[in-house]
Amino acid sequence: MTGRFVIVGYLDCLHMLYTVTATLFCSVNRCKRSLAEISVKAVLAVADLERKDVNLDLIKVEGKVGGKLEDTELIYGILVDKEMSHPQMPKQIEDAKIAILTCPFEPPKPKTKHKVDIDTVEKFQTLRKQEQQYFDNMVQKCKGVGATLVICQWGFDDEANHLLMHRNLPAVRWVGGVELELIAIATGGRIVPRFEELTPEKLGKAGLVREKAFGTTKDRMLYVEHCANSRAVTIFIRGGNKMMIEETKRSIHDALCVARNLIRNNSIVYGGGSSEISCSISVEAAADRYPGVEQYAIRAFADALDSVPMSLAENSGLQPIETLSAVKSQQIKENNPYCGIDCNDAGTNDMREQNVFETLIGKQQQILLATQVVKMILKIDDVISPSDF
């Protein structure tokens, strides 16, 4: 049966990738081509072609209600759903050197209970100067190593935020841990837990950091683009409501997995039930070589493979048994393993002409998992059926 599989080079198969992934976008059908291209470009951006592997953790999928589905874009960098900590900070920074911190711009808190009595103006001024000096030292440590942007996992004290603005050091606060890791990977920086450990070598580098506002909603997000390590990308989804965004996220995740499978193994089979029918014919022919009772089990396996194209025909509004019999006889007569169910009513049963593909890895896993489930059920004595409830 291996002769029935078609092998293609993954470096020259962008059209095939787009075609395969585009079939996954059903509820977002009007944008299926553009979303398929975005998914494939995202996978190729983070793929390790030498090892034939893809780390999907490097692809962040972010959604924001508002705008059109057509506004969905691929960002070669990281998108953070935050804004500058002070409204007067610059909204665009070029050739940014980023300090990635997990230590807060706050004074240290004593571990024991304490009480401070301030009964004069002089004591208040002294306390305020000490606090300001403490924050000023933090800001100077960041500027001293050459940082032009601070991204912090924790919050800022109002005094620290005011000093950061006056010292011309833009900052972003309350950034999540996952986003910090992706920013560190993309910019080539190191996450710093203490100000004393901050050095120029631990700064991340990005060609452009900009804050973008969306329409009349006044929502702002931070773009970290043109990073030192471009192997971290973000797919930014726009949509009219939350349901559309979540559905698009699920579709894009399926498309990313399909593209990843083709990077891992660039073998494909044709869809529309053609591969199941072809396997069923081959399995049924192999059953004749077994004289004992095993041939009944083999023929039952062949009948089980026919259930997939039969379900496709039934869901397409066709006569399932007649359609399956016609396609199977066509495959045998023409010796054409690419004949399948014409679900799209394109006027041809040849899945090559309809450009309907499936990944070989996915098809293997489907058959393997179904076989394992049956074997597991056969190993036990009692099975609970739905009618028992």
Side-chain angles (χ1 to χ4, degrees):
M1 291 191 294
T2 55
R4 299 177 184 272
F5 298 142
V6 179
I7 311 300
V8 292
Y10 54 82
L11 291 177
D12 302 320
C13 67
L14 282 181
H15 175 71
M16 183 197 69
L17 280 167
Y18 295 153
T19 305
V20 175
T21 52
T23 59
L24 298 172
F25 300 102
C26 300
S27 62
V28 289
N29 188 55
R30 71 177 188 275
C31 300
K32 64 179 182 180
R33 181 70 184 186
S34 62
L35 293 178
E37 292 182 3
I38 287 174
S39 302
V40 171
K41 289 176 181 177
V43 169
L44 292 178
V46 304
D48 188 345
L49 298 180
E50 293 182 0
R51 295 176 54 213
K52 293 186 178 181
D53 194 17
V54 179
N55 184 5
L56 292 183
D57 292 335
L58 295 176
I59 304 175
K60 181 185 176 186
V61 182
E62 188 76 29
K64 195 80 170 176
V65 175
K68 301 178 294 184
L69 195 60
E70 288 82 355
D71 297 333
T72 299
E73 59 180 331
L74 174 64
I75 302 166
Y76 289 95
I78 304 300
L79 184 67
V80 184
D81 192 7
K82 299 292 177 183
E83 55 185 288
M84 295 295 179
S85 61
H86 198 285
Q88 295 182 6
M89 287 179 178
K91 308 300 181 186
Q92 183 167 316
I93 306 167
E94 296 182 358
D95 297 325
K97 295 181 179 179
I98 306 171
I100 308 170
L101 306 176
T102 57
C103 44
F105 275 87
E106 293 179 355
K109 296 178 181 179
K111 296 181 180 179
T112 58
K113 293 182 179 180
H114 62 285
K115 182 179 180 181
V116 179
D117 292 327
I118 302 175
D119 50 9
T120 63
V121 177
E122 289 77 13
K123 289 183 179 180
F124 178 77
Q125 292 292 347
T126 302
L127 183 63
R128 184 176 179 278
K129 285 182 181 179
Q130 288 180 347
E131 187 181 44
Q132 187 173 359
Q133 182 64 36
Y134 188 84
F135 290 137
D136 202 33
N137 291 337
M138 290 180 173
V139 177
Q140 284 304 123
K141 286 177 182 177
C142 294
K143 290 187 71 70
V145 297
T148 57
L149 175 66
V150 173
I151 297 179
C152 186
Q153 186 177 10
W154 304 105
F156 300 156
D157 190 278
D158 290 340
E159 184 71 23
N161 199 23
H162 179 75
L163 280 173
L164 285 167
M165 190 270 293
H166 275 279
R167 299 292 190 273
N168 295 320
L169 185 59
V172 185
R173 56 185 170 183
W174 299 118
V175 179
V178 177
E179 285 81 2
L180 276 183
E181 291 180 5
L182 287 174
I183 291 172
I185 293 172
T187 61
R190 298 283 297 276
I191 298 176
V192 181
R194 288 187 291 270
F195 287 97
E196 291 77 11
E197 299 181 11
L198 194 59
T199 60
E201 293 78 19
K202 294 181 179 180
L203 298 179
K205 296 177 177 60
L208 178 64
V209 178
R210 59 190 174 98
E211 184 184 289
K212 184 178 178 181
F214 301 99
T216 59
T217 60
K218 296 183 180 179
D219 289 331
R220 292 180 175 87
M221 301 186 78
L222 201 67
Y223 286 65
V224 183
E225 300 176 292
H226 310 305
C227 302
N229 178 16
S230 61
R231 292 189 60 190
V233 299
T234 303
I235 300 176
F236 184 38
I237 303 171
R238 304 306 307 278
N241 52 58
K242 189 174 181 180
M243 185 196 72
M244 178 61 72
I245 289 176
E246 293 300 322
E247 189 64 31
T248 307
K249 281 185 179 180
R250 283 190 289 270
S251 299
I252 283 181
H253 181 266
D254 291 344
L256 293 176
C257 292
V258 168
R260 178 194 61 185
N261 288 344
L262 282 171
I263 294 294
R264 289 179 174 177
N265 185 349
N266 56 347
S267 302
I268 64 166
V269 295
Y270 286 93
S274 60
S275 56
E276 283 85 358
I277 296 173
S278 177
C279 291
S280 175
I281 295 172
S282 299
V283 171
E284 198 166 350
D288 297 334
R289 298 196 295 268
Y290 291 85
V293 295
E294 289 104 345
Q295 68 171 268
Y296 289 99
I298 298 173
R299 294 188 191 280
F301 193 94
D303 293 337
L305 288 171
D306 288 337
S307 63
V308 174
M310 189 175 294
S311 298
L312 281 174
E314 188 174 357
N315 293 337
S316 303
L318 304 173
Q319 292 292 335
I321 299 177
E322 294 180 6
T323 305
L324 175 61
S325 302
V327 174
K328 184 178 283 191
S329 63
Q330 184 180 356
Q331 278 204 19
I332 297 173
K333 182 180 179 181
E334 299 178 3
N335 194 21
N336 182 6
Y338 311 124
C339 294
I341 307 300
D342 184 14
C343 301
N344 297 324
D345 196 22
T348 175
N349 288 330
D350 197 326
M351 296 295 109
R352 290 179 300 179
E353 297 181 15
Q354 292 198 30
N355 288 326
V356 179
F357 311 105
E358 292 185 65
T359 59
L360 175 59
I361 292 179
K363 189 62 66 180
Q364 287 175 330
Q365 287 298 317
Q366 292 169 19
I367 298 176
L368 180 63
L369 289 175
T371 306
Q372 288 177 345
V373 169
V374 173
K375 289 168 67 177
M376 181 182 67
I377 294 175
L378 291 175
K379 286 181 180 180
I380 59 180
D381 297 327
D382 298 320
V383 179
I384 300 174
S385 61
S387 59
D388 295 338
F389 293 99

